[in-house]
Amino acid sequence: MTASGSPAPMPEERRAQVVELLRRRGPVRVADLAQALDVSAITIRRDIALLASQGLIRRVRGGAMPPAVAPAQDHGAAPADEPAPRATAEQSAGAPRRLTVGMVVPSLDYYWPEVIRGVREAAAATGIKIVLRGATYQAADERRQLSELMDSAGVDGLLVAPTTTGDDGEELMSWLRQAPVPVVLIERAAATGAHDAMESVVSDHTLGAAMAVRHLAVLGHRRIGVITTLHSPTTPHIRRGWSHACTELGLEPDAAPDVTTVDQRDPAWPAELDRILAACRQTGTTALLVHSDPEAISLVERCRERGLRVPADLAVVTYDDEVAELCDPPLTAVRPPRRSIGRAAFTLLAERLTDPDPCRPTHHVVIEPRLIVRSSSS
Amino acid sequence: MTASGSPAPMPEERRAQVVELLRRRGPVRVADLAQALDVSAITIRRDIALLASQGLIRRVRGGAMPPAVAPAQDHGAAPADEPAPRATAEQSAGAPRRLTVGMVVPSLDYYWPEVIRGVREAAAATGIKIVLRGATYQAADERRQLSELMDSAGVDGLLVAPTTTGDDGEELMSWLRQAPVPVVLIERAAATGAHDAMESVVSDHTLGAAMAVRHLAVLGHRRIGVITTLHSPTTPHIRRGWSHACTELGLEPDAAPDVTTVDQRDPAWPAELDRILAACRQTGTTALLVHSDPEAISLVERCRERGLRVPADLAVVTYDDEVAELCDPPLTAVRPPRRSIGRAAFTLLAERLTDPDPCRPTHHVVIEPRLIVRSSSS
DNA sequence: ATCCTATCGATCGAAGGTGATCGAAGTTGA
DNA sequence: TCAACTTCGATCACCTTCGATCGATAGGAT
């Protein structure tokens, strides 16, 4: 019943799908694969032969199975005519090759340094090497970085925070899904319940936003607005948490400003800012949850210029806590667990790389943020 | 509808199942294996001979037994002649006291043994000791076990699969929330987004149920029913996954049986069973997702009594895969990642216990199940 | 346009896997 | 010890799967 929509599954792509299917479903028969991928059995056999010669899968009569972990005892006469490079790399007795992990993040100057620190910290205890690349929130760019990492550095696994939006984003994700090495997504994941073959480590931004709203509600605020940035992948989660918490607490989310706008470097920002503050005054909004510190700081400064006291007239909670304490007054902030995210992502990948079980199921890790209360609220 | 009735597992796969069965159920007779795997006795004998020659099992007259020196689980690379020097006092050179972890599970004879095995496996590498208590799906009982563990055994952390329903359940949860030692919940967690101070490791049952539905839909089934057990904490997740997948695939969940009922030991079960089968016939339902193996097996047997062929007239997928392969025909099953759950839960708790950061944020781990395709579908 | 290369699918002989039968060997109980 | 029973192993027939060769098709370069 595979819908007739697949135009041209490239050979390479199909083989990657074979490996993927095998990893997810365990032993697979030739006939099943042929039906699933809509090619003839002979083609599948050729694929299996090729992949088996690369050690990516194990060929058996009738189909394929996940690569064997050396059977308990091969009595000298091991069928070791095939080196099987990648699959058994870490367990080759004597000289275990040093594992290398590639990491690609969208930026090296905001949010991500702390994540990288977490990764490095976790990696330090192991012998695993980290190769880092920073891209620039451009899917095409990241794709290039990844390709280079795969080809030249020969990494054994990837930690990636990909750009998922746009056509390039779609393509990047499907490239990652079929990558020949394990991939752990950082701060990106498909919606819960969807089957996404890739493992992931994410902050619970939804909870983080809800925590901020509850904090403000406890302080007596009844009109709490939210300001988020247009192009951030975090935005939908924050808005969801905000709206959930508002309805749960009996506040009216519709009555308060609810703006998704350009970021603070955009020429249109100052005008937006004034619009936001005007809306606050108009609706009687006394508290704002602002996504990302620079925007929040800029907003607080504008408040001061206009004689609005923070927090007396307008309480502000910022989302990110990168530079929130540098503001005057220091900003209450939701701090995503950046360092823990990094640590957990590395740990997850390392476990997959060293786990001898070829059918190890896909893990997802969710980590809760913290609310750091400073003077911009309360 | 259900196309060819040739499930035909591959030889290698079947041999792997023999080893697996042997590991799970101890000594097995040839006839039992032949029936369970749906091949003739002579084939089983040949398999046993081959596996025995590889040292994976021990051949005895009439059947097979686990090898004298158990190969260290999936970690096949353990040489059989080395008794695994596992008692190495790991990283903490200055650890003053041996850490102890308490574990309480609702039952010791279904589902949980494999989870416990995972915990033990993960614990073996560390110096941490596990103290196990089994309760009986009674919150009060579990509360007693926990108190005793805390007081007498002096544990440093808890792995708990609490009963969350009823007043006792509520109280138990709040007791756990305030426990003086870290707690990791196993297969239990508050709904996503809610702030639950406790860490958790859960199977993605929602995804598992959706996988089953998708599998059946691919085989051409359009009316897919779901049967779940009244008092199981898994039930809501399975039903959610089922209904999501149905709507996503354009099936009509309302048109098929959707029963949450007593379990198979209840006196009312046989009558329920007949009602379910009648409903299937009435609505033209050709496939069922049945929660928990015993219920599914009982259902398949009733089908046989009434002349309904499985899978030709009714395809069945069971949820749990504890004993699904022992049915005739062997049942296609969703297998929650029990062992991985155990491993991850222990790892999470151990990390918390050894992490010097007192503000380590709350982690949640979600692990995807696997679909094991056997003959009761397809 | 033509050649070249890569990939796919079909056919057919070869090889492996399975099951039935039957005689041999082991087990149990008297 | 013998007899009844079960289990095991060898052989053969049948079926599935595999591998090699050949022809067909598509895309790219000259």
Side-chain angles (χ1 to χ4, degrees), chain B residues 11 20 24 46 82 86 88 100 194 198 203 261 266 279 311 317 336 351 354 356 378:
Chain B
E20 174 69 17
R24 273 162 66 168
R46 281 194 268 245
E82 265 185 63
R86 59 174 43 147
T88 55
T100 305
M198 279 176 291
S203 304
T261 181
D266 192 284
V317 176
E351 277 173 7
T354 55
S378 81

Side-chain angles (χ1 to χ4, degrees), chain A residues 266-343:
Chain A
D266 192 283
W269 172 251
E272 271 297 313
L273 201 44
D274 284 338
R275 248 194 300 277
I276 290 165
L277 291 181
C280 285
R281 175 149 19 175
Q282 209 164 13
T283 57
T285 297
T286 57
L288 281 180
L289 169 60
V290 183
H291 177 212
S292 164
D293 294 358
E295 284 73 22
I297 291 175
S298 163
L299 182 135
V300 169
E301 278 169 2
R302 190 81 183 104
C303 282
R304 190 202 313 282
E305 284 168 28
R306 295 181 52 167
L308 268 168
R309 290 164 304 161
V310 172
D313 299 324
L314 184 69
V316 174
V317 176
T318 176
Y319 202 100
D320 260 4
D321 197 33
E322 268 285 323
V323 287
E325 83 277 13
L326 301 181
C327 189
D328 176 25
L331 301 179
T332 295
V334 178
R335 177 191 293 177
R338 291 186 287 268
R339 191 178 295 231
S340 293
I341 289 283
R343 275 196 283 244

